[in-house]
Amino acid sequence: MSELVYERVQRGLSDLKLARVTEVLDQLAEDASRQQQTYLEFLDHLLSEEQAARHQRRVAMKTKLAHFPYTKTLEQFDFSFQPSIDERRVRELATLRFVANGENLILLGPPGVGKTHLAVALGVQAVAQGCNPYFITVPELLELLERDAKEGRLQQRMRALCKPGLLILDEMGYLPINQMAAHFLFQLVARRYEKGSILITSNKSYGQWGEIFADNVLASALLDRLLHHSTTINIRGQSYRLREKRKAGVFQEPGDLLPDPGPESERG
Ligand code: ADP
Ligand code: MG
């Protein structure tokens, strides 16, 4: 390639924002000539490099925007530890057909059984498939709503929470939900109804949701919409966190209270 052509190509790549091709051009051009690749094969390699780099960038950006507390995958989930979970059902959920159909998913169970892990893993899967998930804990949301209400920004918050393809509300049930927040959540569920999926995790059974919300009628209206097109996974089993502590010999009897809650709280 003459100096002039090379410079023109570099300028063209920069104009077209083909950053990855710019990086690998020299190496791939050398490989192509050494391996006597056809023009099409060479072009194929260049395009693949650019596509892969863009996919990675998109995944990194969406992962950041998703606001996950940590990154965990389904592969890291030990199904044998939690036999009450039907692995096949979770794998089916991981195809994200429920997200495409605007259906909801509710994971119920006591602390430490893997609700947040599974919610994040499905969120990670959603990112890989090009969806925009958003993760927020209910206590976090309640705090935001208090502030929004004072600043008259509740409608903006509502619009923002209607946008993600999958909204993950973690830890429903640890804090009581006041009238204002209950109304907001009802509206949110109603607005996303049959359009945008919601994934909720909770340590409370549906029967106890009336206690979480200050308003029993509102709670049942919310549940009515939430559960109409939905899947519930009821996890019954031991806390994975406690198992790790038990293995480390922090305590002996399953009924023992933890002497030290450790860096991670025992909240679900
Ligand atoms: P929950 O939200 O139900 O309270 P978490 O999902 O936060 O529980 O799980 C607590 C910790 O234990 C996390 O670090 C999680 O990754 C891990 N964990 C829970 N269940 C499993 C499991 N079956 N296999 C592997 N790790 C697990
Ligand atoms: Mg949790």
Side-chain angles (χ1 to χ4, degrees):
M1 230 182 308
S2 78
E3 196 61 28
L4 205 68
V5 174
Y6 187 74
E7 275 171 21
R8 201 164 56 232
V9 167
Q10 289 287 344
R11 235 185 358 263
L13 292 175
S14 157
D15 283 353
L16 294 171
K17 300 191 170 30
L18 296 168
R20 181 62 188 162
V21 174
T22 311
E23 274 171 30
V24 294
L25 179 64
D26 292 356
Q27 185 62 50
L28 289 192
E30 259 177 50
D31 292 350
S33 98
R34 206 175 37 248
Q35 297 161 9
Q36 301 189 328
Q37 289 170 8
T38 63
Y39 298 123
L40 267 182
E41 281 168 341
F42 175 54
L43 185 59
D44 184 35
H45 286 152
L46 288 180
L47 291 179
S48 302
E49 279 286 338
E50 186 65 36
Q51 280 170 323
R54 287 188 183 196
H55 178 73
Q56 255 177 20
R57 265 206 308 275
R58 258 196 313 272
V59 166
M61 177 57 73
K62 281 177 194 279
T63 303
K64 204 164 153 216
L65 292 175
H67 189 239
F68 296 132
Y70 49 69
T71 312
K72 288 269 166 94
T73 62
L74 273 192
E75 282 58 49
Q76 291 168 288
F77 195 82
D78 179 3
F79 284 93
S80 69
F81 180 74
Q82 217 57 265
S84 72
I85 302 177
D86 181 352
E87 177 172 356
R88 223 179 37 191
R89 206 152 155 232
V90 174
R91 300 245 169 246
E92 156 66 22
L93 288 166
T95 64
L96 299 180
R97 206 154 49 88
F98 79 100
V99 174
N101 294 338
E103 294 167 9
N104 301 322
L105 172 62
I106 299 95
L107 305 176
L108 302 177
V113 292
K115 300 183 298 297
T116 302
H117 183 138
L118 288 175
V120 168
L122 291 172
V124 166
Q125 192 70 21
V127 165
Q129 293 195 20
C131 166
N132 303 321
Y134 185 70
F135 181 107
I136 186 165
T137 68
V138 174
E140 248 180 306
L141 178 61
L142 294 178
E143 218 179 294
L144 286 181
L145 293 181
E146 281 301 319
R147 206 179 323 148
D148 291 340
K150 283 196 198 108
E151 295 169 4
R153 292 163 42 89
L154 280 171
Q155 282 316 306
Q156 269 158 278
R157 181 72 57 194
M158 179 65 74
R159 278 197 294 277
L161 291 175
C162 283
K163 275 187 195 144
L166 171 65
L167 178 64
I168 303 174
L169 299 177
D170 194 30
E171 300 190 349
M172 174 79 86
Y174 285 103
L175 293 181
I177 295 173
N178 67 27
Q179 189 80 19
M180 179 272 288
H183 268 279
F184 184 92
L185 282 174
F186 173 76
Q187 285 257 323
L188 182 60
V189 169
R191 289 238 200 140
R192 292 184 65 94
Y193 181 65
E194 294 183 341
K195 289 196 291 265
S197 294
I198 303 180
L199 192 171
I200 293 185
T201 78
S202 178
N203 63 330
K204 297 273 199 303
S205 66
Y206 294 131
Q208 296 169 300
W209 280 36
E211 299 162 21
I212 312 173
F213 291 82
D215 185 328
N216 249 319
V217 179
L218 205 60
S220 60
L222 180 143
L223 274 174
D224 190 57
R225 278 173 183 69
L226 186 70
L227 300 185
H228 185 201
H229 305 289
S230 71
T231 301
T232 299
I233 294 191
N234 234 314
I235 311 175
R236 281 175 238 91
Q238 290 197 336
S239 163
Y240 197 84
R241 292 190 196 108
L242 293 194
R243 178 192 88 147
E244 299 200 318
K245 291 209 195 290
R246 213 173 282 135
K247 271 205 314 209
V250 177
F251 71 94
Q252 315 298 322
E253 296 299 319
D256 276 5
L257 284 177
L258 282 176
D260 167 18
E264 227 180 341
S265 81
E266 261 309 299
R267 296 204 335 202

